[in-house]
Amino acid sequence: MIITNFSKQRSELNESKILKAKPHWQGQNLSDSAAKGKDTKMRDTAPDSSIFNCLNRGRVAIFIDGLSLFHTALQLGIEIDYVKLLCYLTNGSRLLRAFFYTGVDITHEKQQGFLLWMRRNGYRVVAKDIALPADNFKKSNLNVEISVDMITLAPYYDTAVLVSGDGDLAYAVNAVSRMGVRVEVVSLQTTTSESLIDVADCFIDLDSIKTHIQKDSNLGYSYRTPSNSNL
């Protein structure tokens, strides 16, 4: 009887260890970000790929708020190289899909050419016609589309990379986090909502990685393909 009870207790102990095991995307050098709060996330911010290299990120899905990234690039005084950006955010992980969300002006030929290039170079473009409110200021908001895609596809990826600083996306980030997804938020720290940083597993300041993702000055305004990029 004593032997039987000991075997049962050992079996229960092993089962408890399995249930408490870390998700596969957590590296051995990372502690629970929820326990340490925002200070831990700010230490995660780095100018290189050291954050990504210490993790088994599994399959990655990238969600880019195009308008937010465009304004951030203006603030940083750079032009984004979208081949470099895709390679940097993926960092050797398995890419499920990279979404680029943007408002579209169908009369803007240069923008149409840019979006065509994006579609042919690894991005799934999600576009919405730009609305023209009464104040004649053109704007578009694709937070609903971003949120729906993040939540709908959550069973098929392990790590979400959200390139946006909009606090309205915090609820979607929290929702996919509860489903076991790791969320990395990439944005400019000075313009990013605190609520979004708080619910993310990792925050990366775009200012700290701008040299890795900006377009080479000798390329002018031409766009490259992955086959002729030199990263």
Side-chain angles (χ1 to χ4, degrees):
M1 180 66 68
I2 295 176
I3 295 176
T4 302
N5 290 337
F6 176 75
S7 299
K8 181 178 179 181
Q9 291 174 358
R10 184 171 61 181
S11 176
E12 291 175 348
L13 178 61
N14 290 336
E15 182 179 357
S16 175
K17 289 181 178 179
I18 294 174
L19 291 175
K20 293 180 180 180
K22 291 182 178 180
H24 67 88
W25 46 259
Q26 289 188 348
Q28 294 181 353
N29 295 328
L30 290 184
S31 57
D32 185 2
S33 59
K36 292 192 175 182
K38 186 169 60 178
D39 290 340
T40 300
K41 292 170 188 171
M42 297 315 298
R43 285 197 296 270
D44 280 349
T45 303
D48 52 34
S49 301
S50 59
I51 302 170
F52 298 151
N53 289 336
C54 70
L55 297 170
N56 175 11
R57 300 164 78 211
R59 180 168 286 187
V60 173
I62 299 172
F63 306 88
I64 300 175
D65 182 341
L67 185 60
S68 174
L69 183 58
F70 174 76
H71 287 298
T72 297
L74 288 178
Q75 287 184 267
L76 294 175
I78 65 172
E79 186 176 3
I80 301 294
D81 184 320
Y82 287 92
V83 171
K84 285 185 176 182
L85 179 65
L86 185 59
C87 291
Y88 185 89
L89 297 180
T90 305
N91 196 48
S93 299
R94 295 177 60 197
L95 178 64
L96 173 67
R97 189 158 290 162
F99 292 94
F100 184 82
Y101 301 85
T102 185
V104 174
D105 182 351
I106 59 175
T107 64
H108 197 309
E109 292 185 5
K110 185 176 179 180
Q111 184 189 45
Q112 296 300 315
F114 166 71
L115 295 180
L116 177 61
W117 181 93
M118 292 287 281
R119 293 186 179 98
R120 293 179 177 179
N121 287 272
Y123 291 91
R124 177 66 61 89
V125 176
V126 179
K128 176 190 284 187
D129 290 342
I130 296 177
L132 189 62
D135 57 5
N136 289 327
F137 179 73
K138 292 184 177 181
K139 60 183 179 180
S140 62
N141 188 319
L142 283 91
N143 286 342
V144 172
E145 288 81 355
I146 296 174
S147 299
V148 169
D149 287 343
M150 287 185 69
I151 295 172
T152 303
L153 292 174
Y156 305 103
Y157 63 83
D158 305 291
T159 298
V161 181
L162 175 63
V163 183
S164 177
D166 196 330
D168 289 341
L169 294 169
Y171 188 86
V173 169
N174 202 34
V176 298
S177 295
R178 290 197 299 266
M179 299 171 69
V181 172
R182 172 181 171 81
V183 182
E184 301 164 354
V185 171
V186 183
S187 186
L188 188 62
Q189 182 182 340
T190 55
T191 59
T192 301
S193 169
E194 293 289 333
S195 62
L196 188 59
I197 295 177
D198 289 342
V199 295
D201 294 289
C202 171
F203 175 75
I204 301 171
D205 190 352
L206 273 171
D207 188 33
S208 69
I209 65 170
K210 63 182 180 181
T211 57
H212 298 274
I213 62 173
Q214 67 181 1
K215 185 176 292 185
D216 298 329
S217 57
N218 61 341
L219 290 177
Y221 290 93
S222 61
Y223 293 105
R224 300 178 299 161
T225 60
S227 60
N228 64 13
S229 63
N230 183 20
L231 301 178

